[in-house]
Amino acid sequence: MHEIPHSDSEMLRGLARGDEGAFRTLFDRYWDAVYSTSLALTKSASMAEDIAQDVFTILWEKRAELPEVARLEGYLFITARNLIYTRFRKLASGDAYRRYVLQFLHEGGGQQADHAAEFRELEQCVMTAIRQLPPQQQRAFTLSRFEGMRHEEIATTMGVSRITIKSYIVQAIATLRKTLSNHPSGAMGALWALIFLS
């Protein structure tokens, strides 16, 4: 049996230092397993992909804590399981909330002008954050969210692998979520995240 060229613990130490190469290595190593597990639990390809992306977003966001993780595979699968349980619990109310948000934004109301201005301010903040992403992340994210392209199409357009595209989008989402979490309007930040980063 051949030894893995770079152990998980070695990659986690690199990841904690912000090494994107280490992140991509772990991404390549575990994406299929996390996705397959999520698919088995959710029976939905689109939800499984969302869950897998969220797992790797969390991996990137919590990278400084990860050298303490003894078994990465277990950590990833527990994270996926918890996300799936949370998604199932919130699914019905989440759909209702999305409909409410969209209705709120498009119907008249006493404070609509104030909320619309606040929403435009948040939108501008997010667009500024997108422009500050590294060029490859920015392009992959924009093609995905604004042009509705699938990962395979983006990979062909950009001349890189589908896994690399997923890695770019995960890192872009992590950066944008951090930006939203620092926005003065937490409610509007959550609203934008629901619509834009879902």
Side-chain angles (χ1 to χ4, degrees), residues 23-24 27-28 31 49 53 136-137 139-141 143-144 149-172:
F23 177 76
R24 282 193 294 273
F27 195 100
D28 291 346
W31 171 270
E49 182 136 339
Q53 283 197 2
Q136 294 290 80
Q137 289 182 29
R139 189 175 181 205
F141 185 83
L143 290 173
S144 172
M149 291 176 65
R150 297 173 56 83
H151 292 164
E152 293 80 2
E153 297 172 307
I154 301 170
T156 301
T157 299
M158 294 180 63
V160 297
S161 72
R162 184 171 63 94
I163 292 293
T164 299
I165 292 301
K166 289 181 179 180
S167 173
Y168 288 153
I169 292 173
V170 163
Q171 290 178 71

PDB file of all heavy atoms in Angstrom, residues 23-24 27-28 31 49 53 136-137 139-141 143-144 149-172:
ATOM      1  N   PHE A  23      -5.612  23.719   0.684  1.00  0.00           N
ATOM      2  CA  PHE A  23      -7.069  23.659   0.620  1.00  0.00           C
ATOM      3  C   PHE A  23      -7.513  22.875  -0.608  1.00  0.00           C
ATOM      4  O   PHE A  23      -8.375  21.993  -0.526  1.00  0.00           O
ATOM      5  CB  PHE A  23      -7.660  25.070   0.591  1.00  0.00           C
ATOM      6  CG  PHE A  23      -9.148  25.100   0.445  1.00  0.00           C
ATOM      7  CD1 PHE A  23      -9.974  24.809   1.517  1.00  0.00           C
ATOM      8  CD2 PHE A  23      -9.741  25.393  -0.772  1.00  0.00           C
ATOM      9  CE1 PHE A  23     -11.353  24.822   1.388  1.00  0.00           C
ATOM     10  CE2 PHE A  23     -11.116  25.406  -0.916  1.00  0.00           C
ATOM     11  CZ  PHE A  23     -11.924  25.119   0.161  1.00  0.00           C
ATOM     12  N   ARG A  24      -6.923  23.177  -1.768  1.00  0.00           N
ATOM     13  CA  ARG A  24      -7.309  22.478  -2.993  1.00  0.00           C
ATOM     14  C   ARG A  24      -6.991  20.987  -2.910  1.00  0.00           C
ATOM     15  O   ARG A  24      -7.754  20.155  -3.410  1.00  0.00           O
ATOM     16  CB  ARG A  24      -6.628  23.119  -4.208  1.00  0.00           C
ATOM     17  CG  ARG A  24      -7.304  24.419  -4.646  1.00  0.00           C
ATOM     18  CD  ARG A  24      -6.825  24.866  -6.008  1.00  0.00           C
ATOM     19  NE  ARG A  24      -5.424  25.240  -5.983  1.00  0.00           N
ATOM     20  CZ  ARG A  24      -4.979  26.442  -5.681  1.00  0.00           C
ATOM     21  NH1 ARG A  24      -5.837  27.391  -5.351  1.00  0.00           N
ATOM     22  NH2 ARG A  24      -3.687  26.706  -5.698  1.00  0.00           N
ATOM     23  N   PHE A  27      -9.632  19.521  -0.795  1.00  0.00           N
ATOM     24  CA  PHE A  27     -10.862  19.617  -1.580  1.00  0.00           C
ATOM     25  C   PHE A  27     -10.921  18.457  -2.571  1.00  0.00           C
ATOM     26  O   PHE A  27     -11.933  17.734  -2.649  1.00  0.00           O
ATOM     27  CB  PHE A  27     -10.872  20.961  -2.311  1.00  0.00           C
ATOM     28  CG  PHE A  27     -12.202  21.349  -2.876  1.00  0.00           C
ATOM     29  CD1 PHE A  27     -13.008  22.255  -2.210  1.00  0.00           C
ATOM     30  CD2 PHE A  27     -12.650  20.841  -4.080  1.00  0.00           C
ATOM     31  CE1 PHE A  27     -14.234  22.641  -2.729  1.00  0.00           C
ATOM     32  CE2 PHE A  27     -13.870  21.212  -4.616  1.00  0.00           C
ATOM     33  CZ  PHE A  27     -14.656  22.108  -3.937  1.00  0.00           C
ATOM     34  N   ASP A  28      -9.835  18.267  -3.335  1.00  0.00           N
ATOM     35  CA  ASP A  28      -9.770  17.179  -4.323  1.00  0.00           C
ATOM     36  C   ASP A  28      -9.893  15.813  -3.650  1.00  0.00           C
ATOM     37  O   ASP A  28     -10.538  14.898  -4.174  1.00  0.00           O
ATOM     38  CB  ASP A  28      -8.446  17.224  -5.085  1.00  0.00           C
ATOM     39  CG  ASP A  28      -8.351  18.421  -6.013  1.00  0.00           C
ATOM     40  OD1 ASP A  28      -9.370  19.078  -6.277  1.00  0.00           O
ATOM     41  OD2 ASP A  28      -7.228  18.714  -6.467  1.00  0.00           O
ATOM     42  N   TRP A  31     -13.853  15.862  -1.736  1.00  0.00           N
ATOM     43  CA  TRP A  31     -15.113  16.356  -2.307  1.00  0.00           C
ATOM     44  C   TRP A  31     -16.065  15.215  -2.658  1.00  0.00           C
ATOM     45  O   TRP A  31     -17.231  15.217  -2.272  1.00  0.00           O
ATOM     46  CB  TRP A  31     -14.868  17.219  -3.540  1.00  0.00           C
ATOM     47  CG  TRP A  31     -16.153  17.545  -4.248  1.00  0.00           C
ATOM     48  CD1 TRP A  31     -16.764  16.834  -5.247  1.00  0.00           C
ATOM     49  CD2 TRP A  31     -17.037  18.635  -3.949  1.00  0.00           C
ATOM     50  NE1 TRP A  31     -17.958  17.419  -5.604  1.00  0.00           N
ATOM     51  CE2 TRP A  31     -18.150  18.520  -4.831  1.00  0.00           C
ATOM     52  CE3 TRP A  31     -16.994  19.699  -3.044  1.00  0.00           C
ATOM     53  CZ2 TRP A  31     -19.198  19.427  -4.820  1.00  0.00           C
ATOM     54  CZ3 TRP A  31     -18.053  20.606  -3.041  1.00  0.00           C
ATOM     55  CH2 TRP A  31     -19.138  20.467  -3.916  1.00  0.00           C
ATOM     56  N   GLU A  49     -24.956  18.931  -3.431  1.00  0.00           N
ATOM     57  CA  GLU A  49     -23.892  19.832  -3.892  1.00  0.00           C
ATOM     58  C   GLU A  49     -23.800  21.064  -2.999  1.00  0.00           C
ATOM     59  O   GLU A  49     -22.713  21.509  -2.647  1.00  0.00           O
ATOM     60  CB  GLU A  49     -24.144  20.242  -5.341  1.00  0.00           C
ATOM     61  CG  GLU A  49     -23.051  21.134  -5.891  1.00  0.00           C
ATOM     62  CD  GLU A  49     -22.634  20.747  -7.295  1.00  0.00           C
ATOM     63  OE1 GLU A  49     -22.867  19.597  -7.716  1.00  0.00           O
ATOM     64  OE2 GLU A  49     -22.060  21.595  -7.960  1.00  0.00           O
ATOM     65  N   GLN A  53     -20.570  22.078  -0.738  1.00  0.00           N
ATOM     66  CA  GLN A  53     -19.940  23.402  -0.829  1.00  0.00           C
ATOM     67  C   GLN A  53     -19.890  24.069   0.545  1.00  0.00           C
ATOM     68  O   GLN A  53     -18.885  24.687   0.903  1.00  0.00           O
ATOM     69  CB  GLN A  53     -20.696  24.290  -1.820  1.00  0.00           C
ATOM     70  CG  GLN A  53     -20.390  23.950  -3.258  1.00  0.00           C
ATOM     71  CD  GLN A  53     -20.785  25.059  -4.222  1.00  0.00           C
ATOM     72  OE1 GLN A  53     -21.264  26.121  -3.828  1.00  0.00           O
ATOM     73  NE2 GLN A  53     -20.583  24.810  -5.495  1.00  0.00           N
ATOM     74  N   GLN A 136      -9.583  34.964 -10.356  1.00  0.00           N
ATOM     75  CA  GLN A 136     -10.169  33.688 -10.740  1.00  0.00           C
ATOM     76  C   GLN A 136     -11.427  33.385  -9.922  1.00  0.00           C
ATOM     77  O   GLN A 136     -12.424  32.891 -10.456  1.00  0.00           O
ATOM     78  CB  GLN A 136      -9.146  32.551 -10.578  1.00  0.00           C
ATOM     79  CG  GLN A 136      -7.961  32.653 -11.530  1.00  0.00           C
ATOM     80  CD  GLN A 136      -8.352  32.387 -12.969  1.00  0.00           C
ATOM     81  OE1 GLN A 136      -8.887  33.261 -13.653  1.00  0.00           O
ATOM     82  NE2 GLN A 136      -8.095  31.180 -13.439  1.00  0.00           N
ATOM     83  N   GLN A 137     -11.377  33.678  -8.610  1.00  0.00           N
ATOM     84  CA  GLN A 137     -12.562  33.482  -7.766  1.00  0.00           C
ATOM     85  C   GLN A 137     -13.694  34.391  -8.236  1.00  0.00           C
ATOM     86  O   GLN A 137     -14.850  33.975  -8.318  1.00  0.00           O
ATOM     87  CB  GLN A 137     -12.232  33.790  -6.304  1.00  0.00           C
ATOM     88  CG  GLN A 137     -11.338  32.782  -5.630  1.00  0.00           C
ATOM     89  CD  GLN A 137     -11.108  33.142  -4.177  1.00  0.00           C
ATOM     90  OE1 GLN A 137     -11.954  33.761  -3.535  1.00  0.00           O
ATOM     91  NE2 GLN A 137      -9.953  32.767  -3.640  1.00  0.00           N
ATOM     92  N   ARG A 139     -14.242  35.680 -11.181  1.00  0.00           N
ATOM     93  CA  ARG A 139     -14.820  35.265 -12.458  1.00  0.00           C
ATOM     94  C   ARG A 139     -15.699  34.030 -12.285  1.00  0.00           C
ATOM     95  O   ARG A 139     -16.819  33.975 -12.814  1.00  0.00           O
ATOM     96  CB  ARG A 139     -13.703  34.986 -13.467  1.00  0.00           C
ATOM     97  CG  ARG A 139     -14.248  34.752 -14.870  1.00  0.00           C
ATOM     98  CD  ARG A 139     -13.155  34.599 -15.887  1.00  0.00           C
ATOM     99  NE  ARG A 139     -13.724  34.411 -17.208  1.00  0.00           N
ATOM    100  CZ  ARG A 139     -13.111  33.803 -18.208  1.00  0.00           C
ATOM    101  NH1 ARG A 139     -11.885  33.323 -18.033  1.00  0.00           N
ATOM    102  NH2 ARG A 139     -13.700  33.660 -19.378  1.00  0.00           N
ATOM    103  N   ALA A 140     -15.205  33.038 -11.541  1.00  0.00           N
ATOM    104  CA  ALA A 140     -15.985  31.817 -11.328  1.00  0.00           C
ATOM    105  C   ALA A 140     -17.301  32.134 -10.617  1.00  0.00           C
ATOM    106  O   ALA A 140     -18.369  31.641 -10.999  1.00  0.00           O
ATOM    107  CB  ALA A 140     -15.172  30.806 -10.522  1.00  0.00           C
ATOM    108  N   PHE A 141     -17.240  32.955  -9.573  1.00  0.00           N
ATOM    109  CA  PHE A 141     -18.433  33.304  -8.805  1.00  0.00           C
ATOM    110  C   PHE A 141     -19.429  34.070  -9.671  1.00  0.00           C
ATOM    111  O   PHE A 141     -20.635  33.804  -9.646  1.00  0.00           O
ATOM    112  CB  PHE A 141     -18.047  34.142  -7.583  1.00  0.00           C
ATOM    113  CG  PHE A 141     -19.208  34.453  -6.680  1.00  0.00           C
ATOM    114  CD1 PHE A 141     -19.630  33.542  -5.722  1.00  0.00           C
ATOM    115  CD2 PHE A 141     -19.889  35.652  -6.800  1.00  0.00           C
ATOM    116  CE1 PHE A 141     -20.713  33.820  -4.906  1.00  0.00           C
ATOM    117  CE2 PHE A 141     -20.971  35.938  -5.985  1.00  0.00           C
ATOM    118  CZ  PHE A 141     -21.386  35.019  -5.037  1.00  0.00           C
ATOM    119  N   LEU A 143     -19.723  34.086 -12.996  1.00  0.00           N
ATOM    120  CA  LEU A 143     -20.327  33.211 -14.000  1.00  0.00           C
ATOM    121  C   LEU A 143     -21.383  32.301 -13.381  1.00  0.00           C
ATOM    122  O   LEU A 143     -22.422  32.022 -13.987  1.00  0.00           O
ATOM    123  CB  LEU A 143     -19.244  32.365 -14.673  1.00  0.00           C
ATOM    124  CG  LEU A 143     -18.285  33.122 -15.593  1.00  0.00           C
ATOM    125  CD1 LEU A 143     -17.159  32.199 -16.065  1.00  0.00           C
ATOM    126  CD2 LEU A 143     -19.015  33.719 -16.786  1.00  0.00           C
ATOM    127  N   SER A 144     -21.145  31.862 -12.146  1.00  0.00           N
ATOM    128  CA  SER A 144     -22.091  30.983 -11.461  1.00  0.00           C
ATOM    129  C   SER A 144     -23.351  31.730 -11.037  1.00  0.00           C
ATOM    130  O   SER A 144     -24.469  31.324 -11.355  1.00  0.00           O
ATOM    131  CB  SER A 144     -21.422  30.352 -10.243  1.00  0.00           C
ATOM    132  OG  SER A 144     -22.365  29.652  -9.454  1.00  0.00           O
ATOM    133  N   MET A 149     -24.307  29.819 -14.961  1.00  0.00           N
ATOM    134  CA  MET A 149     -23.575  28.720 -15.592  1.00  0.00           C
ATOM    135  C   MET A 149     -23.300  27.609 -14.588  1.00  0.00           C
ATOM    136  O   MET A 149     -23.067  27.870 -13.414  1.00  0.00           O
ATOM    137  CB  MET A 149     -22.254  29.237 -16.186  1.00  0.00           C
ATOM    138  CG  MET A 149     -22.448  30.144 -17.385  1.00  0.00           C
ATOM    139  SD  MET A 149     -20.892  30.855 -18.009  1.00  0.00           S
ATOM    140  CE  MET A 149     -20.045  29.374 -18.588  1.00  0.00           C
ATOM    141  N   ARG A 150     -23.319  26.363 -15.072  1.00  0.00           N
ATOM    142  CA  ARG A 150     -22.993  25.210 -14.240  1.00  0.00           C
ATOM    143  C   ARG A 150     -21.480  25.118 -14.097  1.00  0.00           C
ATOM    144  O   ARG A 150     -20.729  25.674 -14.890  1.00  0.00           O
ATOM    145  CB  ARG A 150     -23.554  23.938 -14.866  1.00  0.00           C
ATOM    146  CG  ARG A 150     -25.080  23.930 -14.967  1.00  0.00           C
ATOM    147  CD  ARG A 150     -25.597  22.731 -15.735  1.00  0.00           C
ATOM    148  NE  ARG A 150     -25.124  21.486 -15.159  1.00  0.00           N
ATOM    149  CZ  ARG A 150     -25.695  20.875 -14.109  1.00  0.00           C
ATOM    150  NH1 ARG A 150     -26.768  21.410 -13.544  1.00  0.00           N
ATOM    151  NH2 ARG A 150     -25.216  19.745 -13.636  1.00  0.00           N
ATOM    152  N   HIS A 151     -21.048  24.381 -13.063  1.00  0.00           N
ATOM    153  CA  HIS A 151     -19.611  24.274 -12.814  1.00  0.00           C
ATOM    154  C   HIS A 151     -18.848  23.727 -14.016  1.00  0.00           C
ATOM    155  O   HIS A 151     -17.747  24.177 -14.318  1.00  0.00           O
ATOM    156  CB  HIS A 151     -19.362  23.387 -11.592  1.00  0.00           C
ATOM    157  CG  HIS A 151     -19.825  24.019 -10.313  1.00  0.00           C
ATOM    158  ND1 HIS A 151     -19.999  23.311  -9.155  1.00  0.00           N
ATOM    159  CD2 HIS A 151     -20.159  25.298 -10.011  1.00  0.00           C
ATOM    160  CE1 HIS A 151     -20.414  24.115  -8.198  1.00  0.00           C
ATOM    161  NE2 HIS A 151     -20.524  25.318  -8.696  1.00  0.00           N
ATOM    162  N   GLU A 152     -19.437  22.749 -14.704  1.00  0.00           N
ATOM    163  CA  GLU A 152     -18.780  22.162 -15.871  1.00  0.00           C
ATOM    164  C   GLU A 152     -18.576  23.204 -16.963  1.00  0.00           C
ATOM    165  O   GLU A 152     -17.522  23.253 -17.597  1.00  0.00           O
ATOM    166  CB  GLU A 152     -19.611  20.988 -16.424  1.00  0.00           C
ATOM    167  CG  GLU A 152     -19.688  19.783 -15.500  1.00  0.00           C
ATOM    168  CD  GLU A 152     -20.718  19.943 -14.372  1.00  0.00           C
ATOM    169  OE1 GLU A 152     -21.416  20.986 -14.318  1.00  0.00           O
ATOM    170  OE2 GLU A 152     -20.823  19.027 -13.542  1.00  0.00           O
ATOM    171  N   GLU A 153     -19.590  24.055 -17.181  1.00  0.00           N
ATOM    172  CA  GLU A 153     -19.488  25.102 -18.200  1.00  0.00           C
ATOM    173  C   GLU A 153     -18.425  26.134 -17.827  1.00  0.00           C
ATOM    174  O   GLU A 153     -17.658  26.589 -18.677  1.00  0.00           O
ATOM    175  CB  GLU A 153     -20.845  25.797 -18.374  1.00  0.00           C
ATOM    176  CG  GLU A 153     -21.959  24.902 -18.868  1.00  0.00           C
ATOM    177  CD  GLU A 153     -23.307  25.603 -18.830  1.00  0.00           C
ATOM    178  OE1 GLU A 153     -23.698  26.133 -17.766  1.00  0.00           O
ATOM    179  OE2 GLU A 153     -23.972  25.622 -19.878  1.00  0.00           O
ATOM    180  N   ILE A 154     -18.404  26.498 -16.542  1.00  0.00           N
ATOM    181  CA  ILE A 154     -17.407  27.479 -16.083  1.00  0.00           C
ATOM    182  C   ILE A 154     -16.005  26.907 -16.235  1.00  0.00           C
ATOM    183  O   ILE A 154     -15.074  27.608 -16.666  1.00  0.00           O
ATOM    184  CB  ILE A 154     -17.675  27.883 -14.622  1.00  0.00           C
ATOM    185  CG1 ILE A 154     -19.067  28.496 -14.474  1.00  0.00           C
ATOM    186  CG2 ILE A 154     -16.620  28.875 -14.135  1.00  0.00           C
ATOM    187  CD1 ILE A 154     -19.510  28.703 -13.037  1.00  0.00           C
ATOM    188  N   ALA A 155     -15.851  25.636 -15.894  1.00  0.00           N
ATOM    189  CA  ALA A 155     -14.542  24.990 -16.013  1.00  0.00           C
ATOM    190  C   ALA A 155     -14.057  25.028 -17.456  1.00  0.00           C
ATOM    191  O   ALA A 155     -12.884  25.345 -17.724  1.00  0.00           O
ATOM    192  CB  ALA A 155     -14.631  23.546 -15.514  1.00  0.00           C
ATOM    193  N   THR A 156     -14.951  24.740 -18.398  1.00  0.00           N
ATOM    194  CA  THR A 156     -14.586  24.789 -19.816  1.00  0.00           C
ATOM    195  C   THR A 156     -14.229  26.209 -20.237  1.00  0.00           C
ATOM    196  O   THR A 156     -13.218  26.442 -20.909  1.00  0.00           O
ATOM    197  CB  THR A 156     -15.757  24.265 -20.687  1.00  0.00           C
ATOM    198  OG1 THR A 156     -16.058  22.925 -20.295  1.00  0.00           O
ATOM    199  CG2 THR A 156     -15.401  24.308 -22.155  1.00  0.00           C
ATOM    200  N   THR A 157     -15.037  27.170 -19.803  1.00  0.00           N
ATOM    201  CA  THR A 157     -14.809  28.571 -20.158  1.00  0.00           C
ATOM    202  C   THR A 157     -13.466  29.073 -19.628  1.00  0.00           C
ATOM    203  O   THR A 157     -12.736  29.788 -20.320  1.00  0.00           O
ATOM    204  CB  THR A 157     -15.941  29.457 -19.600  1.00  0.00           C
ATOM    205  OG1 THR A 157     -17.182  29.040 -20.168  1.00  0.00           O
ATOM    206  CG2 THR A 157     -15.716  30.933 -19.909  1.00  0.00           C
ATOM    207  N   MET A 158     -13.141  28.688 -18.390  1.00  0.00           N
ATOM    208  CA  MET A 158     -11.936  29.191 -17.741  1.00  0.00           C
ATOM    209  C   MET A 158     -10.714  28.294 -17.974  1.00  0.00           C
ATOM    210  O   MET A 158      -9.601  28.663 -17.594  1.00  0.00           O
ATOM    211  CB  MET A 158     -12.190  29.372 -16.238  1.00  0.00           C
ATOM    212  CG  MET A 158     -13.207  30.461 -15.932  1.00  0.00           C
ATOM    213  SD  MET A 158     -13.528  30.694 -14.144  1.00  0.00           S
ATOM    214  CE  MET A 158     -11.896  31.208 -13.556  1.00  0.00           C
ATOM    215  N   GLY A 159     -10.940  27.125 -18.552  1.00  0.00           N
ATOM    216  CA  GLY A 159      -9.823  26.246 -18.860  1.00  0.00           C
ATOM    217  C   GLY A 159      -9.177  25.591 -17.652  1.00  0.00           C
ATOM    218  O   GLY A 159      -7.969  25.340 -17.639  1.00  0.00           O
ATOM    219  N   VAL A 160     -10.002  25.319 -16.627  1.00  0.00           N
ATOM    220  CA  VAL A 160      -9.506  24.627 -15.435  1.00  0.00           C
ATOM    221  C   VAL A 160     -10.467  23.493 -15.103  1.00  0.00           C
ATOM    222  O   VAL A 160     -11.510  23.348 -15.732  1.00  0.00           O
ATOM    223  CB  VAL A 160      -9.364  25.587 -14.221  1.00  0.00           C
ATOM    224  CG1 VAL A 160      -8.337  26.675 -14.502  1.00  0.00           C
ATOM    225  CG2 VAL A 160     -10.708  26.210 -13.863  1.00  0.00           C
ATOM    226  N   SER A 161     -10.138  22.702 -14.081  1.00  0.00           N
ATOM    227  CA  SER A 161     -10.992  21.564 -13.732  1.00  0.00           C
ATOM    228  C   SER A 161     -12.251  22.014 -12.994  1.00  0.00           C
ATOM    229  O   SER A 161     -12.300  23.103 -12.407  1.00  0.00           O
ATOM    230  CB  SER A 161     -10.220  20.574 -12.860  1.00  0.00           C
ATOM    231  OG  SER A 161     -10.040  21.103 -11.562  1.00  0.00           O
ATOM    232  N   ARG A 162     -13.259  21.143 -13.012  1.00  0.00           N
ATOM    233  CA  ARG A 162     -14.515  21.410 -12.289  1.00  0.00           C
ATOM    234  C   ARG A 162     -14.258  21.532 -10.788  1.00  0.00           C
ATOM    235  O   ARG A 162     -14.848  22.372 -10.110  1.00  0.00           O
ATOM    236  CB  ARG A 162     -15.506  20.271 -12.567  1.00  0.00           C
ATOM    237  CG  ARG A 162     -16.882  20.466 -11.965  1.00  0.00           C
ATOM    238  CD  ARG A 162     -17.834  19.395 -12.478  1.00  0.00           C
ATOM    239  NE  ARG A 162     -17.419  18.069 -12.084  1.00  0.00           N
ATOM    240  CZ  ARG A 162     -17.866  17.433 -10.992  1.00  0.00           C
ATOM    241  NH1 ARG A 162     -18.742  18.026 -10.193  1.00  0.00           N
ATOM    242  NH2 ARG A 162     -17.449  16.220 -10.709  1.00  0.00           N
ATOM    243  N   ILE A 163     -13.355  20.707 -10.260  1.00  0.00           N
ATOM    244  CA  ILE A 163     -13.023  20.766  -8.836  1.00  0.00           C
ATOM    245  C   ILE A 163     -12.414  22.119  -8.488  1.00  0.00           C
ATOM    246  O   ILE A 163     -12.718  22.708  -7.442  1.00  0.00           O
ATOM    247  CB  ILE A 163     -12.050  19.626  -8.462  1.00  0.00           C
ATOM    248  CG1 ILE A 163     -12.760  18.277  -8.566  1.00  0.00           C
ATOM    249  CG2 ILE A 163     -11.487  19.818  -7.071  1.00  0.00           C
ATOM    250  CD1 ILE A 163     -13.865  18.058  -7.564  1.00  0.00           C
ATOM    251  N   THR A 164     -11.554  22.629  -9.367  1.00  0.00           N
ATOM    252  CA  THR A 164     -10.945  23.941  -9.124  1.00  0.00           C
ATOM    253  C   THR A 164     -12.007  25.032  -9.097  1.00  0.00           C
ATOM    254  O   THR A 164     -11.967  25.933  -8.256  1.00  0.00           O
ATOM    255  CB  THR A 164      -9.888  24.249 -10.205  1.00  0.00           C
ATOM    256  OG1 THR A 164      -8.858  23.258 -10.138  1.00  0.00           O
ATOM    257  CG2 THR A 164      -9.271  25.628 -10.009  1.00  0.00           C
ATOM    258  N   ILE A 165     -12.976  24.941 -10.011  1.00  0.00           N
ATOM    259  CA  ILE A 165     -14.068  25.922 -10.032  1.00  0.00           C
ATOM    260  C   ILE A 165     -14.842  25.878  -8.725  1.00  0.00           C
ATOM    261  O   ILE A 165     -15.144  26.917  -8.119  1.00  0.00           O
ATOM    262  CB  ILE A 165     -15.014  25.659 -11.226  1.00  0.00           C
ATOM    263  CG1 ILE A 165     -14.300  25.949 -12.543  1.00  0.00           C
ATOM    264  CG2 ILE A 165     -16.292  26.504 -11.104  1.00  0.00           C
ATOM    265  CD1 ILE A 165     -13.780  27.367 -12.677  1.00  0.00           C
ATOM    266  N   LYS A 166     -15.155  24.679  -8.240  1.00  0.00           N
ATOM    267  CA  LYS A 166     -15.867  24.553  -6.973  1.00  0.00           C
ATOM    268  C   LYS A 166     -15.049  25.164  -5.844  1.00  0.00           C
ATOM    269  O   LYS A 166     -15.593  25.832  -4.959  1.00  0.00           O
ATOM    270  CB  LYS A 166     -16.175  23.086  -6.686  1.00  0.00           C
ATOM    271  CG  LYS A 166     -17.241  22.504  -7.595  1.00  0.00           C
ATOM    272  CD  LYS A 166     -17.512  21.050  -7.253  1.00  0.00           C
ATOM    273  CE  LYS A 166     -18.595  20.477  -8.153  1.00  0.00           C
ATOM    274  NZ  LYS A 166     -18.885  19.071  -7.842  1.00  0.00           N
ATOM    275  N   SER A 167     -13.755  24.942  -5.870  1.00  0.00           N
ATOM    276  CA  SER A 167     -12.871  25.511  -4.849  1.00  0.00           C
ATOM    277  C   SER A 167     -12.921  27.032  -4.878  1.00  0.00           C
ATOM    278  O   SER A 167     -13.027  27.688  -3.841  1.00  0.00           O
ATOM    279  CB  SER A 167     -11.440  25.015  -5.085  1.00  0.00           C
ATOM    280  OG  SER A 167     -10.537  25.656  -4.215  1.00  0.00           O
ATOM    281  N   TYR A 168     -12.860  27.609  -6.083  1.00  0.00           N
ATOM    282  CA  TYR A 168     -12.933  29.069  -6.216  1.00  0.00           C
ATOM    283  C   TYR A 168     -14.242  29.601  -5.625  1.00  0.00           C
ATOM    284  O   TYR A 168     -14.261  30.605  -4.902  1.00  0.00           O
ATOM    285  CB  TYR A 168     -12.864  29.489  -7.686  1.00  0.00           C
ATOM    286  CG  TYR A 168     -11.516  29.348  -8.349  1.00  0.00           C
ATOM    287  CD1 TYR A 168     -11.426  29.158  -9.729  1.00  0.00           C
ATOM    288  CD2 TYR A 168     -10.330  29.430  -7.617  1.00  0.00           C
ATOM    289  CE1 TYR A 168     -10.200  29.037 -10.359  1.00  0.00           C
ATOM    290  CE2 TYR A 168      -9.101  29.299  -8.233  1.00  0.00           C
ATOM    291  CZ  TYR A 168      -9.037  29.102  -9.614  1.00  0.00           C
ATOM    292  OH  TYR A 168      -7.829  28.995 -10.242  1.00  0.00           O
ATOM    293  N   ILE A 169     -15.354  28.938  -5.960  1.00  0.00           N
ATOM    294  CA  ILE A 169     -16.663  29.431  -5.516  1.00  0.00           C
ATOM    295  C   ILE A 169     -16.811  29.300  -4.001  1.00  0.00           C
ATOM    296  O   ILE A 169     -17.327  30.207  -3.340  1.00  0.00           O
ATOM    297  CB  ILE A 169     -17.795  28.693  -6.270  1.00  0.00           C
ATOM    298  CG1 ILE A 169     -17.768  29.101  -7.753  1.00  0.00           C
ATOM    299  CG2 ILE A 169     -19.156  29.007  -5.662  1.00  0.00           C
ATOM    300  CD1 ILE A 169     -18.720  28.318  -8.636  1.00  0.00           C
ATOM    301  N   VAL A 170     -16.338  28.198  -3.442  1.00  0.00           N
ATOM    302  CA  VAL A 170     -16.386  28.016  -1.987  1.00  0.00           C
ATOM    303  C   VAL A 170     -15.628  29.138  -1.287  1.00  0.00           C
ATOM    304  O   VAL A 170     -16.114  29.736  -0.317  1.00  0.00           O
ATOM    305  CB  VAL A 170     -15.807  26.634  -1.593  1.00  0.00           C
ATOM    306  CG1 VAL A 170     -15.462  26.588  -0.115  1.00  0.00           C
ATOM    307  CG2 VAL A 170     -16.796  25.534  -1.925  1.00  0.00           C
ATOM    308  N   GLN A 171     -14.431  29.443  -1.762  1.00  0.00           N
ATOM    309  CA  GLN A 171     -13.630  30.492  -1.130  1.00  0.00           C
ATOM    310  C   GLN A 171     -14.274  31.867  -1.313  1.00  0.00           C
ATOM    311  O   GLN A 171     -14.246  32.698  -0.398  1.00  0.00           O
ATOM    312  CB  GLN A 171     -12.210  30.476  -1.694  1.00  0.00           C
ATOM    313  CG  GLN A 171     -11.431  29.242  -1.253  1.00  0.00           C
ATOM    314  CD  GLN A 171     -10.042  29.199  -1.843  1.00  0.00           C
ATOM    315  OE1 GLN A 171      -9.181  29.979  -1.468  1.00  0.00           O
ATOM    316  NE2 GLN A 171      -9.834  28.301  -2.788  1.00  0.00           N
ATOM    317  N   ALA A 172     -14.865  32.106  -2.484  1.00  0.00           N
ATOM    318  CA  ALA A 172     -15.554  33.381  -2.721  1.00  0.00           C
ATOM    319  C   ALA A 172     -16.729  33.540  -1.760  1.00  0.00           C
ATOM    320  O   ALA A 172     -16.929  34.604  -1.161  1.00  0.00           O
ATOM    321  CB  ALA A 172     -16.032  33.464  -4.172  1.00  0.00           C
TER     322      ALA A 172
END
